[in-house]
Amino acid sequence: MTRAINAEISATWRYHEATKHSYASVRSHQGGLDWANRPRPFKIYPALDPFPLPREFPAADAEALHSGQSIPSSLPQGEAPALEQLAALLHFSAGITRRRIYAGGELYFHAAACTGALYEIELYLVAAQIDRLPAGVYHFSPADFALRRLRSGDWRGVLVAAAAAEPAVARAPISIISTGTYWRNAWKYGARTYRHFGWDNGTILANLLAMAAAHRLQPRLVLGFQDAPVNRLLDLDEGKEVALSIVALGDSDPAPETDPEIPALGLEVIPPSRREVDFPAMRAMHAATRLAGAAEVASWRGALPAAPQQEVAGAVVALGPAQDAPAGPALEAVIARRGSTRRFARKPITLAELAASLDRATGVIPADFLDPPGAPLNDIYLIANAVVGLEPGSYALHRRPLRLELLRRGSFRQEARHLALDQDLAGDAAADVFFLADLNRILGRFGNRGYRAAQLEAGILGGRLYLAAYAQQFGATGLTFYDDEVVEFFSPHAAGRSAIFLIALGRSAERLPLARE
């Protein structure tokens, strides 16, 4: 059972209701963006020297469509990533894959999708001595593809204590911590940014988990940790930036105990823009998800009660596994060419392509909040308008085995467009994939931190759909939505759920050449 502030789930409902989009709310906020005050896309420590990362990467030897479906259950003791492997993981999860010069400056294309291309997620490493990298706490800078050491020495014991001796963290030679920087995303999206933390962290983690599994580094995603010591370890100003998740990588000797006193560093950081606007609602939401004390962290772990079984009332379409799909391009090649589709051509995809995408997305996520493995927080619903072999209509996805249940027949392009804030992308897409969650059930088990988990899982599922789509030569894009209207559209089947995320799939109107391997 959860306790303390995390158990006061009224905080989540206040935030969730206050940040819902409706037709009226979207049109009541028509103020323009202050482009002169747009935040920088990178966090910069001007006084710290860079530790350049190698730019020649070992091949992961994994096809994008099948990567990450099988996480190795064990590794030889002492297995740790080589520096080139670590560089590959960082490049293909949060690195810059392309640059483009335009009249206003330089545009950076990152390995993972991000709302508004604002890239508010930062990565930090807590590492033992590995290969040529000294032990320490590091910040990853995609701008110059380098690490900057914040603290020297082996600080892994802080994470072990914060995570209540989570076995994967205790034995990991490297843990990668994701943080969210409020203002960098709130410049455009305001208080709704806290939802975006989950989505944007999730797309990065979809890449990171796939790359780590392909390199046989046994990744484990951990959300059960005390927030305060982790934030102190990274020297974060919690009013501006907060730790969101930990990914433990590899297997080594247990981390040594660390002095619980974590001295403040007060490192200079260049301000992201000339002024920042505070949105208290998102900070209050994050504060409500905090865990304090080992007992509260330990209570986080464990199974989510099974959802009540819903009777299958509509026609059912069985979906084949992605393993039956033909061999595709390498994972790195797909990440290098991935983008967010800006216009769909209203051309169909096939049922086999959709099935492979859904199978790829719903594979096991090695996370401490998904127990037993494969148990989801989000339910998946679809609007299919142009899928060869699938009758147009709305559907609910069932897992184990993977199959679609027809809810309503018909072409719903106009409805899809409207649900996605009246954006043409959703109406022109071949299929729109909606993630909805039973927040009552999730919050009842995990408290407010369950909201963080639900948003993050949806982001990972969406990131996997990106990879599956581009592996099969079509496109994808993440979209936002009118919350209550999405639930109403899929009801009565979706009654009691909340809209979490949306990914549109289809043939891009732009040409999508495959990057050279």
Side-chain angles (χ1 to χ4, degrees):
M1 297 291 292
T2 53
R3 305 186 306 174
I5 189 172
N6 185 53
E8 300 296 328
I9 63 173
S10 59
T12 293
W13 287 116
R14 282 195 300 272
Y15 174 81
H16 187 69
E17 292 294 324
T19 57
K20 282 181 175 179
H21 281 326
S22 68
Y23 188 86
S25 71
V26 169
R27 281 151 186 80
S28 67
H29 296 87
Q30 294 296 320
L33 295 172
D34 183 359
W35 289 97
N37 196 44
R38 179 174 179 165
R40 293 179 179 85
F42 307 112
K43 184 175 186 179
I44 301 172
Y45 293 93
L48 297 183
D49 294 329
F51 180 95
L53 289 165
R55 295 178 180 267
E56 296 293 327
F57 311 127
D61 192 28
E63 297 168 7
L65 195 58
H66 306 307
S67 62
Q69 294 294 91
S70 177
I71 304 295
S73 59
S74 63
L75 287 172
Q77 185 172 337
E79 185 80 12
L83 186 59
E84 287 78 10
Q85 284 181 305
L86 177 61
L89 265 60
L90 293 171
H91 175 73
F92 289 108
S93 58
I96 296 170
T97 54
R98 301 188 302 280
R99 300 170 190 255
R100 181 179 298 166
I101 304 297
Y102 69 107
E106 190 170 12
L107 184 64
Y108 304 95
F109 295 86
H110 286 230
C114 179
T115 50
L118 295 169
Y119 306 113
E120 79 278 12
I121 303 299
E122 299 283 343
L123 298 187
Y124 296 79
L125 282 65
V126 179
Q129 167 76 43
I130 66 151
D131 200 0
R132 288 104 64 201
L133 182 71
V137 178
Y138 294 87
H139 172 258
F140 169 59
S141 169
D144 57 358
F145 198 58
L147 299 176
R148 282 170 172 78
R149 187 161 59 178
L150 312 183
R151 299 182 191 271
S152 299
D154 192 339
W155 289 86
R156 291 178 298 149
V158 172
L159 292 189
V160 176
E166 210 303 325
V169 175
R171 297 196 63 86
I174 288 185
S175 289
I176 297 179
I177 303 172
S178 300
T179 69
T181 53
Y182 290 119
W183 170 239
R184 201 182 296 163
N185 194 269
W187 169 79
K188 182 174 183 180
Y189 297 106
R192 197 170 165 99
T193 281
Y194 197 73
R195 299 190 188 203
H196 295 201
F197 276 2
W199 306 348
D200 297 337
N201 191 19
T203 56
I204 288 173
L205 292 185
N207 289 12
L208 178 60
L209 293 172
M211 286 292 296
H215 282 279
R216 301 194 61 79
L217 292 174
Q218 196 177 343
R220 174 80 168 165
L221 171 59
V222 175
L223 256 62
F225 59 88
Q226 298 176 62
D227 295 77
V230 176
N231 288 331
R232 284 199 301 273
L233 182 65
L234 304 182
D235 200 49
L236 303 182
D237 178 345
E238 294 185 49
K240 298 182 178 181
E241 182 180 3
V242 287
L244 300 174
S245 64
I246 300 171
V247 174
L249 294 171
D251 190 6
S252 69
D253 294 329
E257 291 188 12
T258 306
D259 189 333
E261 293 298 321
I262 307 170
L265 298 175
L267 295 170
E268 181 186 0
V269 177
I270 294 179
S273 53
R274 68 175 185 272
R275 65 182 182 88
E276 299 182 34
V277 179
D278 185 32
F279 293 89
M282 62 184 178
R283 290 190 295 100
M285 179 64 238
H286 183 75
T289 71
R290 292 165 65 97
L291 300 180
E296 192 171 7
V297 172
S299 73
W300 160 267
R301 299 176 191 139
L304 177 70
Q309 290 293 319
Q310 286 184 271
E311 181 179 350
V312 179
V316 172
V317 179
L319 303 178
Q323 283 75 10
D324 297 339
L331 175 60
E332 297 97 329
V334 169
I335 293 175
R337 72 184 287 269
R338 186 218 59 81
S340 290
T341 303
R342 297 305 177 201
R343 187 162 61 91
F344 288 115
R346 288 208 174 193
K347 294 180 180 179
I349 62 174
T350 68
L351 180 58
E353 290 171 330
L354 177 63
S357 299
L358 294 171
D359 182 69
R360 171 68 184 85
T362 55
V364 172
I365 299 171
D368 67 344
F369 57 89
L370 298 176
D371 183 20
L377 300 185
N378 283 273
D379 300 311
I380 295 177
Y381 290 82
L382 291 88
I383 295 176
N385 283 314
V387 180
V388 177
L390 184 67
E391 185 176 6
S394 63
Y395 292 84
L397 181 72
H398 296 268
R399 310 186 192 196
R400 300 180 181 176
L402 208 63
R403 59 204 189 280
L404 289 171
E405 176 190 355
L406 178 63
L407 303 180
R408 282 195 292 162
R409 292 180 170 84
S411 175
F412 295 117
R413 287 196 184 275
Q414 289 303 316
E415 291 84 347
R417 179 186 184 279
H418 174 67
L419 293 176
L421 302 197
D422 297 289
Q423 297 178 86
D424 290 339
L425 276 163
D428 294 339
D432 296 293
V433 183
F434 294 81
F435 304 101
L436 283 73
D438 182 350
L439 289 180
N440 282 306
R441 184 170 67 99
I442 295 167
L443 300 177
R445 166 60 185 88
F446 293 120
N448 294 313
R449 206 174 186 91
Y451 191 69
R452 192 192 300 192
Q455 300 287 356
L456 180 61
E457 187 207 34
I460 294 171
L461 297 173
R464 286 177 165 183
L465 285 176
Y466 267 104
L467 295 179
Y470 278 79
Q472 298 177 94
Q473 302 290 307
F474 59 94
T477 195
L479 298 169
T480 192
F481 41 82
Y482 295 128
D483 293 69
D484 290 340
E485 292 192 51
V486 168
V487 177
E488 182 181 355
F489 178 82
F490 290 107
S491 289
H493 195 283
R497 293 172 174 82
S498 297
I500 302 295
F501 194 32
L502 162 61
I503 294 285
L505 304 173
R507 305 287 177 196
S508 176
E510 300 95 18
R511 192 161 169 257
L512 294 174
L514 183 63
R516 293 183 180 274
E517 298 185 36

